[in-house]
Amino acid sequence: SLLYPYGPHQGDETNPKHDDGTSEAIALSVPFTFYGKTYQTAFVNNNGVISFDKPVRQYTPDPFPLVDGYHFVAPFWGDVDNVLGGDIFYRQTTDPALLRDISQDITQYFPKSPFTATWALVATWDHVAYYGSTSQKGNTFQAVLTTDSKMFYIILNYWDIQWTTGAASDGDAETGLGGTPAHVGFNSGDDTNFYNIPGSQTDAIINITTTSNVKVPGRWVFRVDDFQMTEVDSPQPNNNGCWL
């Protein structure tokens, strides 16, 4: 699996079963720099978003840049309903084995900037259902914030994506498709710096398990302190029009 270890046996906290819910405020033991600003509080929001300073309960995604000044990463911003199915986990960690794996992965993708992680926040959405679902479909994906205190990265891992849209976003209750599909990317809150992963808010986002910017299908990795690393390995369409 692309996903780093997660779950209660890893010491994870579990979000409440609440539609459009969120974690409690997470006091970051290591402040995280995102688009040139440093944050000390984060929220893991049920609807597929990790936000800084304030929670995000909006369930139908908007394209970036947002006009409301929110600053967040959207691993898969859509109308998750963990009351109907699935769990959302998170933990801050300094576990040496995990940090070693994260460090090796990032250094492999960005060899010009050797990286030794000292901290990570791991958030995982495990087989989460969508609002209004009449199916058993679930999405499993993960976001990892990590730093060595100088460089700041976010890793997005996609293991199983079976739906794109909740019923309140005009999605089909049986298929979880159509309407306004999920959005994936980053919003700095300054109206200038943002990034939309190709396929966001289109039906194609269901194929994110096959796309990448680091040549590992289902994984996207970005340096986010100044967001310069999007240029290292910009995705290119192959002959079938798929993003790799």
Side-chain angles (χ1 to χ4, degrees):
S1 171
L2 283 180
L3 275 61
Y4 299 108
Y6 68 92
H9 60 289
Q10 296 291 331
D12 282 2
E13 302 287 338
T14 305
N15 273 17
K17 296 281 189 179
H18 190 276
D19 183 40
D20 302 329
T22 181
S23 70
E24 60 187 26
I26 303 166
L28 301 178
S29 57
V30 175
F32 194 80
T33 300
F34 181 67
Y35 282 111
K37 296 181 181 178
T38 299
Y39 301 95
Q40 299 186 2
T41 304
F43 293 83
V44 174
N45 304 278
N46 288 6
N47 287 334
V49 169
I50 298 177
S51 56
F52 299 102
D53 287 350
K54 52 188 176 181
V56 173
R57 300 182 185 276
Q58 182 176 332
Y59 52 85
T60 299
D62 288 322
F64 299 154
L66 301 176
V67 297
D68 56 15
Y70 274 94
H71 13 261
F72 63 71
V73 52
F76 201 84
W77 186 14
D79 197 357
V80 171
D81 188 347
N82 64 340
V83 177
L84 293 179
D87 290 290
I88 297 116
F89 302 109
Y90 67 91
R91 73 184 182 280
Q92 297 186 74
T93 182
T94 56
D95 176 68
L98 176 61
L99 294 181
R100 182 172 61 250
D101 290 344
I102 291 172
S103 301
Q104 290 175 348
D105 288 341
I106 290 177
T107 299
Q108 175 185 346
Y109 307 142
F110 305 108
K112 293 182 180 179
S113 303
F115 180 79
T116 302
T118 56
W119 167 91
L121 171 67
V122 181
T124 309
W125 288 256
D126 184 35
H127 201 71
V128 290
Y130 55 94
Y131 179 81
S133 172
T134 60
S135 74
Q136 298 299 312
K137 288 186 174 184
N139 286 350
T140 300
F141 55 95
Q142 183 180 73
V144 179
L145 282 58
T146 188
T147 184
D148 62 358
S149 79
K150 297 177 182 177
M151 295 179 285
F152 296 79
Y153 286 90
I154 292 179
I155 303 170
L156 304 178
N157 293 322
Y158 300 92
W159 184 241
D160 189 19
I161 301 297
Q162 300 180 356
W163 62 267
T164 64
T165 321
S169 306
D170 297 325
D172 184 281
E174 183 176 350
T175 65
L177 305 175
T180 304
H183 194 85
V184 183
F186 303 86
N187 191 73
S188 71
D190 65 7
D191 297 328
T192 302
N193 295 295
F194 61 93
Y195 185 73
N196 300 307
I197 282 183
S200 286
Q201 289 196 279
T202 75
D203 294 340
I205 202 62
I206 201 167
N207 299 317
I208 198 167
T209 55
T210 68
T211 66
S212 179
N213 66 333
V214 291
K215 299 182 172 65
V216 180
R219 174 172 285 173
W220 291 73
V221 185
F222 302 92
R223 182 172 171 183
V224 296
D225 43 307
D226 59 8
F227 215 68
Q228 62 187 12
M229 289 300 186
T230 50
E231 303 173 3
V232 170
D233 182 28
S234 297
Q236 299 293 327
N238 65 14
N239 293 334
N240 298 320
C242 296
W243 292 85
L244 300 175

